[in-house]
Amino acid sequence: MTTDEATKNEGEVQTAALAEQGEDITPNQDRGVLKIVKRPGNEEKSPMIGDKVYVHYKGKLANGKKFDSSRDRNEPFIFSLGKGQVIKAWDIGVATMKKGEICHLLCKPEYAYGSAGSVPKIPSNATLFFEIELLDFKGEDLFEDGGIIRRIKRKGEGYSNPNEGATVEIHLEGFYGGRIFDCRDVTFIVGEGEDHDIPIGIDKALEKMQREEYCILYLGPRYGFGDAGKPKFGIKANAELVYEVTLKSFEKAKESWEMDTKEKLEQAAIVKEKGTVYFKRASYQVVLACKHPALLASRGVSPWNPEKREMAVEREGQERSTVSHLDQANAEFISSGSLVFPSSQESKYMQAVIQYGKIVSWLEMEYGLSERESKEAESFLLAAFLNLAMCYLKLREYIKAVECCDKALGLDQVNEKGLYRRGEARLLMNEFELAKCDFQKVLDVNPQNKAAKTQITVCQKKMKEHNERDRRIYANMFKKFAERDAKEASRAVGESEVEKATCEEGLKAPVTEGKV
């Protein structure tokens, strides 16, 4: 018997065994995907829709001919389950597996590559055999920062998702420390969940959910209740939370193209006020911390390094005119490394960003306005960009802060707040020369701005420290280069002396008779 004949016989035996003994795992029970477990898994949990799964596999035609193998490549295959990234049989089959399990799947053409096949290895209407090992799986990281992990227990309907400002009706259950702390039906506007004691992680996740979807959300502190915790629910600072959420229904907010100019301007005024409310809630804790850190600590919020506090409090009142005292005090806290904004404040700033961002999405590309509408739109945009810059400073997203300041200065090139906040962001990015230039421009606009004078001094100090550090680094570097060159020169001299001595010895040696 040839190797090909043996392979064919083995394939036919495996196919026949699966056809006879395999479990029908298709939703319609049409025997389109049959499964036999060859090695049970070592855990009870199975992957869910959207999970990232890691598998090894071998694929064969019904006649036993191998057409693909991840083991031959010595590299696991990774895909997102239930997202249509693989053939239908795999989405169905892998969802039934446990971690560590090895199974065999027999897949009819309608659950594999159908009449099209996959040229050149898989012919039309081919029944396929797979051996699959489930190595690992993990939930979907919605924003690729580990802050919100989603696992879908029931897939939603359709392809539409709530947008910012959508009115949603959900059922939620919150879990912490092995107990349920929240269970209710609630209707609210996406981006305003905090008004209903709902963490911003839920707002963010809802924008990726579909109607009737039922999922589990794992929220890190930044997307939960942060450093402040939630005494109402008995949740401590920096708690990791688990929510089970069902999106029962939603009504999308109007998109920009669905609104006329008048409506956009009316809505801009509303969301500007909402953004300011969220911003002030977060900023209130900053000022409270300046004056009463013990009180803030008693509320579960971590104050900053006390050694820096006196300077901060003193400077808080220096400048109260065009550039706010928060502009100055908070920038100095951050730049000195003394203030760590609590995650609860971060969530408020993030919600403020959502509101201000709506103004930009509605008005930035609006054309054909009357003179009055144009002035009103520019006023809203200027305020939105300046407030976004301030929020991004608090969130330590300095590049975005600079971008927003640039746009604000595009509308008003001598705007004092825009120049000052761009200077703050550049200072925090160690771009000292550019920061100093911005603060100098602030003084050109308003020579009485004490905060800008202070920041110029900070820039000069930082530049001096930076230059001294560079000099030390380069001095050490050149010293090492010099030492290395000296060693190489010494070695070269030594080799030259040896070569010279050898040559002289050769010249002195007598010539033996008969030899040249």
Side-chain angles (χ1 to χ4, degrees):
M1 182 183 294
T2 65
T3 302
D4 288 343
E5 289 173 339
T7 300
K8 182 179 179 181
N9 288 342
E10 181 186 356
E12 290 173 347
V13 169
Q14 288 177 326
T15 300
L18 261 171
E20 182 180 346
Q21 304 170 22
E23 175 189 1
D24 183 357
I25 59 173
T26 58
N28 299 328
Q29 293 292 289
D30 58 11
R31 298 186 65 77
V33 184
L34 302 176
K35 174 186 174 183
I36 290 179
V37 176
K38 303 302 292 182
R39 187 184 75 191
N42 48 32
E43 292 184 5
E44 287 301 313
K45 294 180 180 179
S46 295
M48 297 182 188
I49 297 168
D51 283 2
K52 183 176 285 188
V53 296
Y54 302 75
V55 301
H56 264 311
Y57 71 93
K58 287 188 290 186
K60 298 179 182 180
L61 302 176
N63 62 12
K65 183 178 180 180
K66 182 170 69 175
F67 62 83
D68 196 10
S69 171
S70 65
R71 294 191 184 279
D72 290 349
R73 296 189 294 273
N74 196 30
E75 183 178 341
F77 180 67
I78 305 168
F79 68 98
S80 294
L81 187 66
K83 298 290 188 178
Q85 296 179 359
V86 292
I87 60 173
K88 192 184 298 184
W90 271 44
D91 274 337
I92 293 171
V94 174
T96 68
M97 298 179 69
K98 314 293 184 187
K99 184 176 178 179
E101 177 182 318
I102 297 178
C103 75
H104 288 173
L105 296 182
L106 186 66
C107 316
K108 286 188 177 178
E110 55 267 35
Y111 287 89
Y113 292 96
S115 59
S118 183
V119 179
K121 294 185 177 181
I122 300 173
S124 174
N125 294 315
T127 295
L128 304 180
F129 170 90
F130 287 98
E131 178 180 277
I132 302 176
E133 178 182 3
L134 180 57
L135 303 171
D136 198 5
F137 59 87
K138 56 186 180 182
E140 180 183 8
D141 188 345
L142 289 184
F143 297 97
E144 298 184 352
D145 60 1
I148 306 177
I149 305 298
R150 175 175 68 171
R151 304 196 68 208
I152 301 173
K153 297 190 76 170
R154 183 180 68 233
K155 193 172 182 179
E157 301 171 354
Y159 299 96
S160 182
N161 312 96
N163 57 353
E164 287 180 4
T167 300
V168 295
E169 181 187 1
I170 67 171
H171 176 78
L172 63 81
E173 295 180 13
F175 300 86
Y176 167 66
R179 63 179 176 84
I180 184 168
F181 66 83
D182 195 6
C183 179
R184 55 186 159 131
D185 292 323
V186 59
T187 300
F188 66 101
I189 294 173
V190 174
E192 300 177 21
E194 184 179 280
D195 296 340
H196 301 267
D197 297 316
I198 295 171
I200 194 168
I202 303 294
D203 292 86
K204 294 287 188 182
L206 282 167
E207 293 184 50
K208 295 182 177 289
M209 293 178 65
Q210 298 165 334
R211 193 183 311 272
E212 292 299 329
E213 179 178 318
Y214 170 33
C215 69
I216 303 173
L217 298 173
Y218 299 86
L219 305 183
R222 186 185 184 201
Y223 292 96
F225 294 119
D227 282 0
K230 197 73 173 177
K232 174 179 178 179
F233 294 141
I235 294 173
K236 296 181 179 178
N238 294 315
E240 295 187 349
L241 307 175
V242 179
Y243 277 89
E244 293 189 8
V245 179
T246 302
L247 177 56
K248 300 171 74 173
S249 66
F250 67 90
E251 182 179 348
K252 295 188 76 162
K254 282 188 176 181
E255 299 289 356
S256 181
W257 55 270
E258 297 176 295
M259 302 163 64
D260 60 25
T261 301
K262 181 182 177 182
E263 189 173 1
K264 288 178 182 178
L265 292 171
E266 290 172 351
Q267 289 300 311
I270 293 170
V271 299
K272 179 179 177 238
E273 183 59 32
K274 286 181 180 178
T276 302
V277 168
Y278 286 124
F279 183 86
K280 285 181 177 178
R281 286 178 186 173
S283 299
Y284 168 74
Q285 287 186 331
V286 175
V287 176
L288 180 67
C290 285
K291 298 178 179 178
H292 305 288
L295 177 58
L296 190 62
S298 72
R299 295 186 179 184
V301 180
S302 301
W304 53 83
N305 189 348
E307 288 84 359
K308 301 287 184 177
R309 189 174 69 85
E310 292 303 321
M311 176 190 72
V313 174
E314 180 184 349
R315 290 185 179 177
E316 182 207 351
Q318 282 184 1
E319 169 43 52
R320 295 180 182 271
S321 55
T322 308
V323 177
S324 73
H325 62 281
L326 282 172
D327 263 319
Q328 150 192 264
N330 292 333
E332 290 171 2
F333 291 151
I334 299 171
S335 64
S336 67
S338 58
L339 176 61
V340 177
F341 284 107
S343 300
S344 58
Q345 285 175 258
E346 284 193 11
S347 69
K348 292 180 179 68
Y349 288 128
M350 289 164 71
Q351 286 171 317
V353 165
I354 290 172
Q355 302 303 324
Y356 295 134
K358 290 177 185 178
I359 297 174
V360 175
S361 67
W362 293 334
L363 298 176
E364 188 176 22
M365 303 301 290
E366 190 75 355
Y367 300 107
L369 307 182
S370 67
E371 184 177 351
R372 181 189 63 79
E373 289 173 336
S374 181
K375 287 182 179 179
E376 194 173 352
E378 280 192 12
S379 176
F380 279 126
L381 281 170
L382 181 61
F385 286 131
L386 291 172
N387 291 340
L388 281 168
M390 186 61 142
C391 290
Y392 285 131
L393 279 169
K394 305 298 179 64
L395 293 168
R396 297 178 179 79
E397 297 186 40
Y398 305 129
I399 293 175
K400 289 183 179 179
V402 170
E403 290 172 353
C404 289
C405 289
D406 286 343
K407 290 188 175 183
L409 292 167
L411 296 169
D412 177 5
Q413 59 183 322
V414 291
N415 185 275
E416 192 172 349
K417 288 182 180 179
L419 291 168
Y420 187 89
R421 290 172 190 177
R422 189 172 68 180
E424 286 183 301
R426 286 172 165 173
L427 176 58
L428 293 165
M429 293 165 66
N430 294 334
E431 295 178 350
F432 307 125
E433 287 283 1
L434 290 174
K436 181 183 173 184
C437 181
D438 280 332
F439 293 129
Q440 186 58 57
K441 288 178 181 178
V442 171
L443 291 179
D444 293 341
V445 175
N446 178 11
Q448 304 305 314
N449 192 308
K450 295 180 181 179
K453 292 177 182 178
T454 300
Q455 294 292 49
I456 288 175
T457 302
V458 171
C459 289
Q460 291 170 336
K461 180 181 176 183
K462 294 284 186 182
M463 282 189 287
K464 183 178 178 181
E465 291 173 354
H466 184 75
N467 291 336
E468 287 176 354
R469 185 166 58 250
D470 282 351
R471 276 196 294 270
R472 287 195 299 272
I473 290 171
Y474 288 126
N476 290 335
M477 187 186 303
F478 292 139
K479 183 180 178 182
K480 289 178 181 178
F481 287 156
E483 290 174 352
R484 185 192 65 186
D485 292 345
K487 287 180 181 179
E488 290 178 355
S490 177
R491 189 183 305 114
V493 170
E495 290 174 354
S496 177
E497 291 295 331
V498 170
E499 184 179 350
K500 181 179 178 182
T502 303
C503 181
E504 289 175 352
E505 287 294 326
L507 290 172
K508 292 177 181 179
V511 178
T512 305
E513 189 175 347
K515 294 184 180 180
V516 179

